[in-house]
Amino acid sequence: MATLYVSDLDGTLLLPNGTLGERTVAVVNALVEAGGLFTYATARGYESSARVTGALRLDLPVITYGGAVIVDPRTGRPRYGARVPVAAVEAMLSATEGASPVQPVVFANHDGRDRVCWLPEFSTPSVESYLSRRAPDPRFLPLTDWREIDWAEVFFYAVLGEQAPLRQLRDTLGAALEGCHVTLTEEIYAPGQYWLEVGSLDGTKAAALRTVAEAAGADRLVCFGDNLNDLPMFAVADESLAVANALDEVRRQASSVIGGNAEEGVATWLSANALP
C-alpha cells in the first residue's frame, strides 16, 4: 500500500515565523530519499511557497493557490485548470468597487503566467500589509481598472479586511458564490486581519489531492493541516492530522491531533510513523 503524505504549509509544516525547521527538513528529505511520497498543499502561490520550501527535495507535484494550480517543483511549470465562475468574480468586484472598506486581491492567469492583481487607487491597510509581506514579487500586477484582466482567467481571489464587513460581503454575494469554495479565515501572520477566500469547487485542496495521488500511484492519503481550507482534504483523507495550534473546528474534524507547528509536530509524527 502506497501512502501519500500531504501537509499544509503556514501554521502546519512551517514554524510560526514562516520558515522550515531544521528537523522538518531532515525528516521530509529522509522520507523522500527512502522512496516515500510527500508533497504540500498551500494557499500560497508557487513563487512564495518555493522560497520557504527550497531546502526540501520534492519530486511530486505541489498544490498551490488552495488547489487551483498544481506545479511540478522540478521545473516550476504550472498546470492551470480550475477557474472561479465569472459570475462570482463580477459580483465581488461590483460589491467592492470604489472606497469599500474591504478590497480584493485577485489571482489570474495573464499573459501566460499567474498574476497578483489589485487596484492601488483603492488599496486598504489590509491589502498593503499583504503586499508588503510578499514584496518584491514578480507576480505583482497593479491595475487601474479590473477590465485590464480577463475575468474568465481568475482562479482564486481573496477579499481582505476586518471580519464583520467580510461576513456581510459573503452574505451579500449569496447565490453568486454558487460553484465556489468559500472560507473566511484570520491571517496567520497578521492577527485581526481576515481573508474571504473564494476558489472553484474544482480547485480545492481535495480536488488537487486526488489528481496528485493518482499520478503518484498512492492508494492511501494522510493529511496535515490547521485551517478551514484544509477541511476539504481532511474529508478525502484516510487519516487527517491537525496540529495542536489548529482552529477548534479543524481539530474536531481531524482523526487525531498532533504536536503544534512550533514544536515541528508534523516532522515528529512522520519520524515515528512514516520513516522506515
Side-chain angles (χ1 to χ4, degrees):
M1 180 176 289
T3 300
L4 173 61
Y5 301 96
V6 184
S7 180
D8 171 56
L9 291 182
D10 296 288
T12 304
L13 193 67
L14 301 182
L15 294 169
N17 65 3
T19 66
L20 283 173
E22 292 182 2
R23 185 159 187 257
T24 296
V25 173
V27 169
V28 171
N29 284 342
L31 175 62
V32 173
E33 289 169 6
L37 305 176
F38 181 90
T39 191
Y40 63 76
T42 180
R44 293 181 181 232
Y46 180 67
E47 284 88 350
S48 175
S49 62
R51 283 197 297 268
V52 297
T53 61
L56 302 180
R57 295 190 284 274
L58 303 179
D59 50 20
L60 290 180
V62 297
I63 297 166
T64 66
Y65 289 117
V69 182
I70 301 171
V71 180
D72 183 341
R74 295 166 298 187
T75 65
R77 293 185 61 185
R79 184 182 72 195
Y80 295 95
R83 296 290 192 276
V84 178
V86 172
V89 177
E90 183 176 9
M92 178 275 297
L93 295 180
S94 176
T96 59
E97 65 181 353
S100 169
V102 295
Q103 286 292 323
V105 176
V106 175
F107 301 81
N109 188 24
H110 181 75
D111 286 342
R113 64 150 303 156
D114 55 315
R115 293 288 188 177
V116 179
C117 307
W118 76 101
L119 298 179
E121 180 182 0
F122 301 110
S123 190
T124 62
S126 293
V127 171
E128 291 303 316
S129 175
Y130 166 84
L131 297 171
S132 66
R133 292 194 304 275
R134 289 157 178 81
D137 190 319
R139 300 173 300 161
F140 283 1
L141 181 65
L143 305 175
T144 58
D145 192 303
W146 286 117
R147 288 171 292 185
E148 294 172 30
I149 60 172
D150 184 351
W151 297 356
E153 290 296 321
V154 173
F155 53 84
F156 180 80
Y157 68 74
V159 187
L160 282 58
E162 295 183 357
Q163 187 178 37
L166 287 175
R167 281 180 174 168
Q168 183 178 358
L169 174 63
R170 180 188 60 190
D171 295 342
T172 298
L173 294 178
L177 296 179
E178 184 177 351
C180 298
H181 178 68
V182 183
T183 58
L184 177 58
T185 59
E186 188 173 19
E187 166 61 54
I188 289 176
Y189 304 114
Q193 296 181 16
Y194 287 79
W195 290 39
L196 179 64
E197 300 178 348
V198 178
S200 167
L201 287 177
D202 295 325
T204 65
K205 289 184 178 182
L209 182 53
R210 285 191 287 265
T211 298
V212 174
E214 182 178 356
D219 47 20
R220 184 170 181 270
L221 299 173
V222 175
C223 299
F224 305 86
D226 76 304
N227 215 327
L228 297 178
N229 63 3
D230 296 316
L231 293 179
M233 68 175 182
F234 275 24
V236 300
D238 296 283
E239 188 170 4
S240 55
L241 303 166
V243 288
N245 53 284
L247 296 179
D248 290 344
E249 182 176 350
V250 177
R251 293 198 303 271
R252 285 195 298 269
Q253 296 197 33
S255 304
S256 302
V257 177
I258 63 173
N261 66 328
E263 298 81 42
E264 300 186 75
V266 174
T268 298
W269 190 95
L270 289 172
S271 181
N273 297 278
L275 287 181

